[in-house]
Amino acid sequence: MSTAMSSGPDAAIADDRLAVLGEVEKRVLWLSTAIIDHANRVRPNPTGLKVGGHQASSASMVTIMTALWFEHLRAQDRVSVKPHASPVLHAVNYLLGELDERYLTTLREFGGLQSYPSRSKDPDPVDYSTGSVGIGATAPIWGALARRYVDSRGGGAGMGRQYSLVGDAELDEGACWEAILDPMVGELGEVVWIVDLNRQSLDRVVPNIGAFRIQGMFEAAGWQVLTVKYGRLLHELFERPGGDALRRRIDDMPNPEYQRLLRCTPAQLRERLPDSPALQALVDTLDDATLHAAIRNLGGHDLQAVGDAFRAIDDTRPTVILAYTVKGHGLSTAGHPQNHSSLLTAEQLAELAASVGTSVDDPWARFADDSAAAELCRETATRLHRSAVPALPKVDVPTDIGRTPSGKATTQAALGRTLLDLTRSAPEAAARVVTLCPDVSSSTNLGGWVNKVGVWSPDERRDWFDDDPETILHWRERPTGQHLELGIAEGNLVGLLGELGATWSRWGQPLLPIGVLYDPFVERALEPWSFGIYAGGQSILVGTPSGVSLAPEGGAHQSITTPSVGMEQPGCTTYEPAFAIDVEWTLLASLARLGRPDGTSAYLRLSTRPVDQTLAAVPTDPAARERRRKQVVAGAYPLRRSAGTPDVTIAAMGAVVPEALTAADRLAAQGIAADVVCVTSPGLLFDAVQARAGHGDADTWVLDAAFPAHRAAPLVTILDGHPHTLAFLAGINQVRATHLGVSRFGQSGDLTSVYRHHGIDADAVVTAALDVTD
């Protein structure tokens, strides 16, 4: 993309506008640099620990962010800012009056500005939390889909652009390309990525970061590609005699050589740059200042060139702008391969202050009220003002639908059954449910739900198999659908899940999103899922089928550590129900916690093992049934009490509860009385244990209900997962205990053989009970 040159009155007006924009650009550079300097060199640091910050990474984004915010951004647009440019975002917000001056001295301080942009923790407006490389970059893609979904189901979300400011090294993350290549993304014309192409990573100049290769990959995915490579000065030089030789020289040189030229004096440039008589002749015509400025005059630092790129965006398809930049542009550390987290010296900071027209002694000074720059800031603040998020509507989710399952059923099938029941018992709540899958709807028992509610699509699409009598799963795509299906990429699934779970805080429209995937692959999606919760997304993740109970599938599809994953995830309640009724109650309780300021996410670990539902012994008395429901939701309930004082307690979770009950019967035949406790949420029980010890404020009544002190007995715990998950239960009443579970990779086989192999069958429970009671 070239920068057009013009003359006349319009050109004069444009030059005046660029001059004012340039003043703001300089002040943003200064503020972002000074924010980091103060945190590291001025603020007291009694521990001596490194504070950190990224002056160079911020500097490379200053021009792009100045042009975007102060010229092109609209109130309905949203921006994800690359993690290391957070000081630039705070500088911009400060100039717009969105950040109090007192926070400028608090970068990375407790209660102050966060290390990286955070929607929930920073005091100024942040559209997307970033910090985990690749996840913040892709978040606006899922934000665009979430916005479209909300808007198609009642409106109110608008259709503004979704910008991602991405570091070029960030494109190394597979999460970026998984998102870019998903078929749904090619239709999102509001998505715009701006790549800070500075060709440096943390440790080095990247030798082979080929812009043409990156360009080709985006184009192959159907994206519009705009390249902003050169600024106005270089374009002018290219038009002179020898200009073609200069362009060819810069285009052809490897990245490390170019970066080295950025560190050269004018005299050194005259020696190193020319490689032909034509280029030598051109260089000889340039004074030192022009030559020095030309070698760093890249398009990503030219306000006009960047603005032209924004004006050229095609809103009918996703766009990527490849903006060539210099890491540390405008700083003394510009272009140095180790400038990633380096700090300007006091002398260098003073030089910067002098060059941008500010003062080290008064670092946070604003523009004079009557200046053109101050007026631009006021105009921008007015243009970007957003109305308050509407009050949240009340979403009533029932606590109990009223059915009592019978026969044999799986907890996985109970998920789909409960969702269908919800459409009849609470249609308004059901209308806010949206389900997601990475191509596993039929194999996770969502087929009935999908047939009932349809698949979401911005436009209605014909189902070419609607007249095929052998079709069981009907793929009816329409704007009223409530199921979204992505490709087989779990990171994409949880990325979209997090953004659908944030609509309550963005537009005042709470959704109840449920993502379903095979439980072994929860760990594949763990980082973006966790980050989505950190960023404020509230959702339900369902892992199914789980554990070695999926016996024939072998170790490749048998999850072992996921129970503790859910237990240890902040902002999330984990459940592993044993019976269909437990699925209903825990799912409804989890849905009721979504889409609200004090809300939390949930993780349900389900199974494909058919279980006799009469084993649940659901009370028939309404009051007793409600008591059981509350215990299920709180984390555990007594499933079987022996007559008199028990000799042993068996605490079982999930699919292996039948083994615990069988073992209790066999122990009773030997004169050993066993209580059986069904654990539904180890995380909630652990919170209760901690609260009882004075650590936290969780309810503790469930401990007395499930593990009363007067029935304390030696304990056997068992689950289809790692045994440490339930080991803490022994501490409730300080009893002798043994813990059964899975701590080895799985084996293929029938269920009986696999359970025996891992020591989680009834024989193992009986043996463990005899050992702890001996």
Side-chain angles (χ1 to χ4, degrees):
M1 158 165 273
S2 62
T3 302
M5 305 299 297
S6 59
S7 59
D10 290 342
I13 294 172
D15 286 342
D16 288 344
R17 176 184 58 79
L18 286 173
V20 177
L21 203 57
E23 286 185 57
V24 175
E25 175 190 24
K26 290 178 181 179
R27 189 61 58 91
V28 171
L29 174 63
W30 165 257
L31 287 169
S32 60
T33 306
I35 287 170
I36 300 168
D37 180 80
H38 190 282
N40 287 272
R41 298 190 186 278
V42 180
R43 191 171 69 219
N45 184 9
T47 66
L49 292 175
K50 174 187 173 183
V51 176
H54 303 85
Q55 290 177 334
S57 294
S58 292
S60 67
M61 287 298 302
V62 165
T63 306
I64 293 168
M65 292 179 68
T66 300
L68 180 58
W69 259 264
F70 291 88
E71 274 205 309
H72 299 276
L73 203 62
R74 302 165 300 173
Q76 65 266 36
D77 298 334
R78 298 292 184 270
V79 188
S80 174
V81 178
K82 78 171 190 177
H84 292 163
S86 64
V88 184
L89 177 61
H90 298 311
V92 169
N93 282 336
Y94 173 64
L95 291 177
L96 297 180
E98 296 282 4
L99 180 66
D100 191 273
E101 181 178 318
R102 64 190 173 93
Y103 284 107
L104 299 181
T105 61
T106 67
L107 180 68
R108 302 190 174 200
E109 183 178 64
F110 186 81
L113 299 177
Q114 298 300 295
S115 304
Y116 310 118
S118 172
R119 286 192 73 217
S120 58
K121 297 180 182 295
D122 272 317
D124 53 334
V126 174
D127 291 334
Y128 289 98
S129 297
T130 61
S132 192
V133 175
I135 297 175
T138 58
I141 288 177
W142 314 126
L145 275 172
R147 187 199 298 254
R148 286 193 178 205
Y149 183 87
V150 169
D151 211 54
S152 69
R153 300 187 62 82
M159 287 302 290
R161 283 180 181 166
Q162 298 276 344
Y163 292 93
S164 284
L165 307 182
V166 184
D168 53 5
E170 200 165 5
L171 294 179
D172 290 345
E173 287 289 343
C176 292
W177 298 106
E178 283 187 348
I180 290 166
L181 293 174
D182 192 275
M184 294 187 75
V185 174
E187 300 176 359
L188 302 177
E190 64 268 39
V191 170
V192 179
W193 281 25
I194 306 162
V195 179
D196 174 15
L197 204 65
N198 61 49
R199 291 145 294 166
Q200 282 188 237
S201 61
L202 190 150
D203 294 324
R204 61 174 182 157
V205 177
V206 182
N208 296 312
I209 189 164
F212 291 116
R213 175 172 53 87
I214 295 172
Q215 175 179 332
M217 293 168 72
F218 275 103
E219 287 176 341
W223 289 47
Q224 176 193 26
V225 179
L226 302 173
T227 301
V228 186
K229 187 168 186 178
Y230 299 118
R232 286 194 292 178
L233 175 57
L234 276 175
H235 276 290
E236 291 174 2
L237 295 180
F238 293 157
E239 298 300 318
R240 299 185 186 182
D244 289 342
L246 175 61
R247 183 194 286 268
R248 185 168 53 251
R249 175 78 169 102
I250 296 175
D251 283 345
D252 291 347
M253 70 175 62
N255 292 330
E257 181 183 4
Y258 176 79
Q259 296 290 114
R260 182 64 186 92
L261 293 181
L262 295 173
R263 309 289 300 168
C264 288
T265 64
Q268 291 171 325
L269 286 174
R270 294 183 186 281
E271 178 182 344
R272 295 185 179 212
L273 182 60
D275 68 343
S276 67
L279 181 52
Q280 181 69 64
L282 175 59
V283 168
D284 289 344
T285 67
L286 305 179
D287 58 50
D288 285 353
T290 302
L291 179 60
H292 191 260
I295 202 63
R296 61 199 65 231
N297 183 229
L298 296 182
H301 302 301
D302 187 299
L303 290 165
Q304 181 68 48
V306 172
D308 287 345
F310 288 138
R311 283 182 282 272
I313 291 172
D314 173 8
D315 286 319
T316 65
R317 55 179 174 151
T319 295
V320 61
I321 299 173
L322 303 178
Y324 281 73
T325 60
V326 173
K327 194 167 183 175
H329 181 75
L331 307 181
S332 302
T333 56
H336 195 281
Q338 277 87 54
N339 67 4
H340 182 77
S341 57
S342 65
L343 296 170
L344 298 186
T345 65
E347 293 76 16
Q348 290 170 335
L349 189 70
E351 291 173 3
L352 176 64
S355 69
V356 300
T358 188
S359 168
V360 173
D361 298 326
D362 187 14
W364 319 124
R366 296 182 182 273
F367 295 114
D369 285 343
D370 59 351
S371 67
E375 179 60 26
L376 176 59
C377 291
R378 288 190 291 268
E379 290 175 358
T380 302
T382 300
R383 169 168 45 85
L384 297 181
H385 175 74
R386 294 174 182 168
S387 301
V389 175
L392 296 173
K394 183 174 176 56
V395 181
D396 291 319
V397 179
T399 58
D400 187 350
I401 291 174
R403 295 176 68 253
T404 302
S406 59
K408 282 195 171 185
T410 71
T411 54
Q412 175 179 284
L415 170 68
R417 177 77 263 171
T418 301
L419 290 176
L420 287 173
D421 285 345
L422 191 65
T423 62
R424 290 184 284 269
S425 63
E428 291 185 2
R432 292 189 179 272
V433 173
V434 53
T435 56
L436 317 178
C437 270
D439 199 39
V440 291
S441 296
S442 55
S443 58
T444 55
N445 284 94
L446 282 182
W449 163 259
V450 173
N451 287 344
K452 172 75 174 179
V453 301
V455 178
W456 182 82
S457 172
D459 304 299
E460 187 151 354
R461 298 176 180 175
R462 180 173 177 180
D463 178 9
W464 290 96
F465 287 86
D466 59 359
D467 59 348
D468 187 334
E470 296 184 13
T471 297
I472 299 175
L473 180 63
H474 298 287
W475 211 251
R476 300 186 180 97
E477 298 180 82
R478 54 202 180 198
T480 58
Q482 292 178 242
H483 177 78
L484 288 89
E485 189 136 328
L486 303 175
I488 306 177
E490 289 77 10
N492 288 350
L493 171 85
V494 297
L496 179 53
L497 193 66
E499 288 305 317
L500 289 166
T503 59
W504 66 273
S505 60
R506 293 196 190 280
W507 305 296
Q509 289 295 333
L511 296 176
L512 308 178
I514 302 172
V516 185
L517 74 166
Y518 288 172
D519 194 67
F521 307 136
V522 166
E523 290 175 309
R524 184 182 295 175
L526 182 56
E527 185 196 6
W529 175 55
S530 176
F531 196 82
I533 295 174
Y534 164 79
Q538 298 170 13
S539 61
I540 297 172
L541 185 66
V542 178
T544 184
S546 64
V548 300
S549 294
L550 191 63
E553 294 285 351
H557 275 187
Q558 295 174 357
S559 54
I560 295 171
T561 62
T562 48
S564 57
V565 163
M567 181 178 176
E568 296 163 10
Q569 173 59 47
C572 178
T573 300
T574 181
Y575 289 110
E576 186 165 346
F579 301 105
I581 191 66
D582 297 351
V583 173
E584 177 189 309
W585 288 338
T586 56
L587 179 63
L588 294 175
S590 298
L591 289 171
R593 298 188 190 112
L594 301 179
R596 38 192 269 192
D598 61 344
T600 56
S601 294
Y603 165 48
L604 273 63
R605 190 173 186 256
L606 306 182
S607 172
T608 51
R609 183 189 183 184
V611 172
D612 180 0
Q613 297 302 301
T614 62
L615 295 177
V618 180
T620 56
D621 179 80
R625 179 186 175 102
E626 175 59 12
R627 181 172 180 267
R628 165 72 72 85
R629 186 198 68 80
K630 288 181 177 179
Q631 291 173 342
V632 167
V633 172
Y637 60 94
L639 182 56
R640 181 179 297 181
R641 293 288 199 216
S642 61
T645 303
D647 299 305
V648 66
T649 298
I650 304 171
M653 185 168 77
V656 295
V657 166
E659 275 60 42
L661 292 171
T662 299
D665 290 338
R666 289 170 55 183
L667 289 167
Q670 300 179 59
I672 298 173
D675 281 358
V676 178
V677 176
C678 184
V679 174
T680 55
S681 177
L684 290 178
L685 295 184
F686 185 78
D687 290 344
V689 169
Q690 290 289 88
R692 178 177 281 182
H695 308 301
D697 57 1
D699 289 332
T700 61
W701 64 265
V702 67
L703 301 178
D704 297 321
F707 302 96
H710 70 275
R711 297 189 69 83
L715 179 68
V716 176
T717 67
I718 179 171
L719 76 154
D720 185 356
H722 199 281
H724 87 87
T725 307
L726 301 180
F728 73 93
L729 296 177
I732 295 175
N733 292 315
Q734 302 297 312
V735 296
R736 184 181 179 188
T738 189
H739 309 289
L740 307 180
V742 181
S743 55
R744 292 175 287 171
F745 286 115
Q747 298 285 337
S748 295
D750 61 274
L751 192 63
T752 301
S753 299
V754 170
Y755 274 13
R756 183 184 305 116
H757 171 76
H758 290 285
I760 56 173
D761 58 347
D763 284 351
V765 179
V766 170
T767 301
L770 293 174
D771 287 343
V772 295
T773 57
D774 188 6

